[in-house]
Amino acid sequence: MTISKLISTYQIDRVGLLKIDIEGGEFAVFADEDLPWLRVVDQIALEIHPGFGDVADLVGKIRGHGFEVDLRNNNGRQVDAVGTQVEYAYCTTPERH
């Protein structure tokens, strides 16, 4: 089942916080070019596994839907999307708060 299908099936009109920790599957979730379900999401806490995909592309897709993305390593230090140290992304949409 996809996130889009869950939101549609259960008629969800708002997701305050979406936590994604699926051991590399995060790249498949955001692989679609059309991600309409992101319109109902205010915040995303995302664990990233760089060995499974292109982190910069993943972050670009999230930013392209209006999110600000704060990338962190396992020690909580801020990192950029091109490094392999990215482990977490905290994504917010300021206009929806």
Side-chain angles (χ1 to χ4, degrees):
M1 170 136 336
T2 66
I3 293 174
S4 187
K5 189 164 187 129
L6 280 170
I7 288 172
S8 175
T9 300
Y10 294 100
Q11 300 176 348
I12 297 169
D13 60 359
R14 180 176 173 270
V15 177
L17 174 66
L18 177 64
K19 181 178 184 271
I20 300 174
D21 180 2
I22 49 178
E23 307 306 314
E26 61 274 12
F27 294 97
V29 169
F30 292 95
D32 234 351
E33 289 302 317
D34 185 29
L35 300 165
W37 57 268
L38 282 173
R39 283 177 263 181
V40 302
V41 178
D42 294 337
Q43 300 176 74
I44 302 169
L46 172 65
E47 185 176 2
I48 299 175
H49 300 81
F52 290 90
D54 184 337
V55 175
D57 183 56
L58 174 69
V59 170
K61 285 182 180 180
I62 295 170
R63 285 185 174 142
H65 282 83
F67 287 85
E68 292 178 1
V69 181
D70 179 23
L71 301 171
R72 302 285 170 154
N73 67 13
N74 204 37
N75 295 321
R77 292 196 178 97
Q78 207 165 28
V79 295
D80 62 36
V82 294
T84 58
Q85 297 298 315
V86 175
E87 296 194 34
Y88 300 98
Y90 300 99
C91 314
T92 58
T93 54
E95 68 276 1
R96 294 184 207 161
H97 295 138

